Amino acid sequence: MTNKENLIAEAKKAREKAYTPYSKFSVGAAIKTKSGKVYTGCNIEIAALSVSCCAERVAIFRAIADGERDFSELAVTGDTSKPISPCGSCRQVMSEFFDTSANMYLTNLNHDTKTMKINELLPFSFQPEDLVNGENDE
């Protein structure tokens, strides 16, 4: 198996752990750090759906909690008719931690896969350098 195939397989395994009692729409994600570690995540929903968390963010936040900050690639999978697409919130989080050369493997259970870069998924994203540096311009 290639690195891409391994990462997609990890995302599919993570999907099986999703907690989706309301939507029944399970998603899994796997990210690879530049140091070579793989972190997985699944979506977790609760009755107050607006505070649920997507698989991509769960994987990224797990890695961050473990001290990782530099990611090289991501795979996300779901039971969709075409390769799954990350939501806007996940895209914004991904743009914070993945550089523009990182591969994003969007896939489904039928093995349909689309490889994209983060700037294709979220062009003109809000970045840390867009924040005011704390100085008052008055």
Side-chain angles (χ1 to χ4, degrees):
M1 284 179 119
T2 67
N3 285 339
K4 174 182 170 180
E5 292 168 332
N6 283 332
L7 204 59
I8 291 170
E10 289 295 319
K12 286 182 179 181
K13 282 195 288 190
R15 182 185 169 276
E16 296 169 7
K17 297 175 184 173
Y19 179 72
T20 58
Y22 309 104
S23 71
K24 309 290 189 234
F25 184 71
S26 299
V27 177
I31 61 172
K32 185 174 180 185
T33 67
K34 289 185 179 177
S35 68
K37 292 181 184 176
V38 173
Y39 291 87
T40 61
C42 59
N43 57 324
I44 303 165
E45 63 184 29
I46 58 172
L49 291 174
S50 65
V51 293
S52 298
C53 197
C54 299
E56 301 92 311
R57 285 182 281 148
V58 170
I60 291 168
F61 296 161
R62 284 179 76 183
I64 291 168
D66 201 31
E68 296 285 347
R69 298 287 189 277
D70 298 314
F71 307 126
S72 61
E73 52 191 342
L74 171 141
V76 61
T77 191
D79 189 7
T80 52
S81 60
K82 59 185 178 187
I84 196 165
S85 180
C87 75
S89 294
C90 287
R91 291 175 191 214
Q92 183 61 49
V93 171
M94 291 159 54
S95 76
E96 179 98 8
F97 294 101
F98 289 88
D99 63 39
T100 57
S101 66
N103 285 322
M104 308 287 152
Y105 309 119
L106 315 180
T107 187
N108 63 14
L109 300 183
N110 298 321
H111 308 290
D112 299 322
T113 302
K114 183 167 184 69
T115 302
M116 300 184 78
K117 306 290 186 192
I118 188 61
N119 57 343
E120 294 173 300
L121 282 169
L122 186 63
F124 199 65
S125 64
F126 189 82
Q127 293 296 302
E129 57 270 13
D130 295 323
L131 292 171
V132 176
N133 64 9
E135 294 179 11
N136 191 342
D137 289 38
E138 293 179 39

